[in-house]
Every structure is written in structure tokens, then in C-alpha cells.
Amino acid sequence: MTVAKRIIPCLDVNDGRVVKGINFVELKDAGDPVEIARSYNEQGADELTFLDITASSDNRGLLFDIIEKVANQIFIPLTVGGGVRNCDDIRNLLNVGADKVGINTSAILNPNFVSESSSRFGSQAIVVAIDAKKIDDHYEVFTHGGRNATGINAIEWAKKMADFGAGELLITSMDRDGTKKGFDNNLMKSISDVVDIPIIASGGAGSLRHLVDGIKEGEADAVLAASIFHYGEYSIKEAKKYMYEHGIEMRL
Amino acid sequence: MIAIIDYGIGNLKSVHNAVRYIAPKTPSKVSSDPDFINKADKVIFPGQGAMPDCIKELDKRGIRDVVIESAKKKPFLGICLGLQLLFEKSEEGDVDGFGIFEGRIKKFQPNKQVRIKIPHMGWNKVHQSKNHPMWNNINPGSSFYFVHSFYASDVKKEYVTGTTNHGEEFTCAIAKENIFAAQFHPEKSAELGLQLLDNFISWKI
């Protein structure tokens, strides 16, 4: 017996609203981030992730005031990602109430940023987010909300980021994001096999079965989902119960 | 008056948020002012990050002694690194802690066969080794949120108040007289974490 697997609802935030896209584009409004966060906290979510999805691509600042309002409402861990460029950004996010920050584009531009921030804030505060897309027979890392190809192999990158001091990896399959076809469990397992830190599966959850598969087949430590919860298809409670009934250790 | 010790490390805001949420009428302040810490009725000592850095930051602010003094006489709650710092010695950076509890801080070892990952991150069940006012209204075996790579080892049995399993059973809560310390984060452990903080606010020694 050990640590329970986690369900992490994800708030993709654009212009102060929670949105959901398909393959990272075609955004659809899902509501107010503060209200949605409060509701997930009450429903028993294990953590919450807040992604400012266009922060990197628009090259603009962080939504500190909204993040602070979200943090004030919830008593579970909060990860904030999107547009995190330097240690000051991290310090400021932790100061408004984030527990962990997600680093994506900035890690590609300067991998040492991950080791520096991890030694300064502790690895527990540093989540490296990897957006991967299948190209022929391998997975490649993309940045800027999935807009730019990097030529970097996603599995090797995951291992490197773990070695550089990431406390956790958030792996998103861009091919599956918003499709509701299930996580890319081959991608998840390939990464879980080569790192000792927890990994979060993201991109594609469309049913409760997919959450179970992400843990069992993808060997993820946590599953991240947005649309299946935002639009009320399933409650967090239902999802946890289902996973528990399928032999997964959960906090009920 | 509750002092939340500020030494420039970790997410103090969430601890303060949680305290204000459960006890809006109890004055509380995040502070590195030795006078304030000295005058406070109760002290919360949170912590995150690396132990050598924490000690350095405490010393930079000249508050190591006042924290140790508080731990000797008033209700004192250590959280995460705030538990680890109470011990004699840590493997992390090979530094000395406060030595209030005998024992040492060791690092978890990853294990692929049984899929033990480091850091130990997430919700895990806490076995209550003994009764304590801090466990009031919290059922044995309840889950709390953990995030850490180091843990307290060789703790005297009389001080072990809670244990958790991560590949092996380890001490996750300790208590002695006016001190209670937890490896998990009550401020991030939803209702039961708030209950634990509430228990601290009403704890009389």
C-alpha cells in the first residue's frame, strides 16, 4: 500500500475564463475559474491545475489576481502553468498561493532553468510540462501551446528533466487533447519506465474507463482531465469511486 | 495570536489562508520578527525545499534561537520541513537540525519493482500511533497530502504519533509535550487538514 493515485481537474484559462479546446485550438467557454475551482475543491479533487494557455504564445504576463482568488478558495495543492519564464515568476506565483509551477517553453529554451528553480524552490514546486506529438515512430516535444515543433525526442526530454530536478512531469498528448479518445498510454508508459518521479497523464480523457487505463496501462501516478468534469458529464466523486472499484488506490 | 514563521521559503500563504479560513477571529501573522514570534501564543513552523537552505535562511534572519525557544514552551506545530528541522541530523546536505527530537532525516530510495517514486507526492493514509488532541475528529487511516523526499528515521517510539507507508512504514507525525509536527501538509489536505489546524488552534497544553 502506498500513496493514492490522483485526479486533477485542469482549468485551461484564456482571457480570465476557463476554456476547452480540441488539439489545443478551437476554444469553447466553460466558465469562471474561481467558481469552478471552488466547486472542484468541494467535490474532492486531489489537486487542481491552472494553465494560462496562451501566456507563452501571446508573450504576456501572468494572471496573478485570478490565481490569487483561486488559491484563496481551495485547500488542496494548486499547480499553475503558462508563461513561467524566470525565478521571479515562480517566486511571485508561490507568493499568491500556488504550490507548484508548471514550466514548459522556458525549459526548452534553457534547461538549466529547471535545475536552478528546483534547487531554489525545491523539486516539489517544479512540474515540467511536456506537450508531445507522435511523429512517425517517435514522440516529439512541442512548445508555445503546441504551436512550435522542437525536434526534441519526448522520452529523452522527460528523462533529462527528471535528472535536472523536476519534481513531477505533466505529459500531454497533443494528438489526443480534446478528442476524448483516451490518454496516449504508450507515451505515458514509455516515460514512466524511464523516470523515478511521478507523472501526470493528460490529453484525451473522455470516459471514466480512460482514467483507469491511464493509471493501469500508462502507469501514470495521476490523471488530469478537463472537459469530462467541466461540463458535468461526471463528478469527481463518481470518477474516484469508479477507479477505486477497478482496483486503484484512491482517496475517497 | 498565532505566528507563522517566515524565513523566505515555501508557500506560507496557503498556511496563513487556511488558518484565517478556520479561525477568522484569531489574529495570525506570517512573520520573521523575533519579538512577534516571542510574544505569540502559538507558533506554526512550516517549511518546504532543502534543509540546508532553510537553516541558512533562518540564521540570516537571526530567528533560529527564538524558534527553538518557542518549541520548548508554547503550542508549536511543525509542518513538512518544520518537522524535519526538529531532529538531530539530516542526510540532506549533512546538516544539524535543532536536536529537539532524537533521530535523523533520511532519503527515500526509489524502487521500480514496487513502483516507489520519489518525491512521495500525493494523498496517503495516516495511521494514528497514539491518541492526541491534534487527532480530534479525524478518523484513524484518514488521508493527508504529502510531498517530500526525506523522512524522519530512528524516532523514539514514545514520540511517534502517526505513521504512513511509502514502500516502508515511516513516521509522519511526532509529538512531545507542547510540540506536534507532521510530515504532511494540513493546509493542503482539504477538510481533514483544516480540522487538524482547527485542533491546533483549540489545543491547550
Side-chain angles (χ1 to χ4, degrees), chain A residues 190-205:
Chain A
S190 306
I191 292 177
S192 196
D193 279 347
V194 297
V195 300
D196 290 322
I197 56 176
I199 74 162
I200 305 165
S202 156

Side-chain angles (χ1 to χ4, degrees), chain A residues 1-3 5 192-198 219 221, chain B residues 107-120 149 151 165-168:
Chain A
M1 202 185 65
T2 178
V3 66
K5 301 298 180 185
S192 196
D193 279 347
V194 297
V195 300
D196 290 322
I197 56 176
E219 299 189 6
D221 301 281
Chain B
K107 190 166 190 184
F108 283 118
Q109 295 305 318
N111 184 329
K112 282 248 189 281
Q113 275 72 47
V114 286
R115 299 204 78 81
I116 294 303
K117 295 206 173 178
I118 315 297
H120 173 220
S149 302
Y151 67 99
N165 194 304
H166 186 56
E168 58 187 303

Side-chain angles (χ1 to χ4, degrees), chain A residues 9-229:
Chain A
C10 180
L11 277 50
D12 291 332
V13 179
N14 181 43
D15 285 339
R17 299 286 292 176
V18 176
V19 293
K20 189 59 215 164
I22 296 172
N23 298 118
F24 282 45
V25 286
E26 295 175 44
L27 305 175
K28 181 175 158 192
D29 189 89
D32 172 57
V34 180
E35 276 172 35
I36 293 177
R38 189 192 299 135
S39 146
Y40 287 141
N41 181 67
E42 282 165 11
Q43 286 180 43
D46 295 313
E47 291 190 25
L48 200 65
T49 289
F50 182 111
L51 294 179
D52 184 359
I53 55 169
T54 48
S56 272
S57 54
D58 294 356
N59 196 29
R60 65 179 156 75
L62 301 144
L63 306 166
F64 287 114
D65 54 333
I66 298 182
I67 293 162
E68 185 162 24
K69 279 184 199 146
V70 167
N72 286 344
Q73 296 289 332
I74 64 166
F75 300 102
I76 52 176
L78 172 67
T79 301
V80 180
V84 176
R85 292 183 186 86
N86 50 49
C87 283
D88 286 344
D89 287 342
I90 298 178
R91 180 76 265 161
N92 292 335
L93 285 172
L94 298 179
N95 281 345
V96 295
D99 299 289
K100 318 181 198 181
V101 297
I103 302 176
N104 185 340
T105 302
S106 302
I108 302 275
L109 296 175
N110 174 20
N112 289 326
F113 177 42
V114 172
S115 43
E116 278 163 31
S117 56
S118 160
S119 64
R120 181 153 160 202
F121 302 103
S123 62
Q124 87 292 330
I126 307 301
V127 181
V128 171
I130 301 176
D131 295 336
K133 193 170 187 168
K134 194 160 190 191
I135 308 283
D136 302 325
D137 61 344
H138 72 285
Y139 291 98
E140 189 173 323
V141 178
F142 278 67
T143 61
H144 294 84
R147 287 165 186 82
N148 300 348
T150 64
I152 298 170
N153 179 297
I155 315 298
E156 286 164 19
W157 179 245
K159 182 150 186 5
K160 181 170 175 177
M161 288 297 94
D163 291 343
F164 272 50
E168 194 169 43
L169 299 174
L170 167 57
I171 315 291
T172 303
S173 158
M174 292 174 50
D175 303 307
R176 298 297 178 91
D177 189 68
T179 64
K180 300 194 155 212
K181 288 180 182 162
F183 298 115
D184 185 336
N185 292 319
N186 179 47
L187 167 67
M188 303 307 159
K189 178 154 171 37
S190 306
I191 292 177
S192 196
D193 279 347
V194 297
V195 300
D196 290 322
I197 56 176
I199 74 162
I200 305 165
S202 156
S207 72
L208 300 184
R209 183 70 228 177
H210 291 155
L211 303 181
V212 169
D213 293 344
I215 303 284
K216 289 196 167 171
E217 291 170 23
E219 299 189 6
D221 301 281
V223 286
L224 185 131
S227 48
I228 62 166
F229 299 127

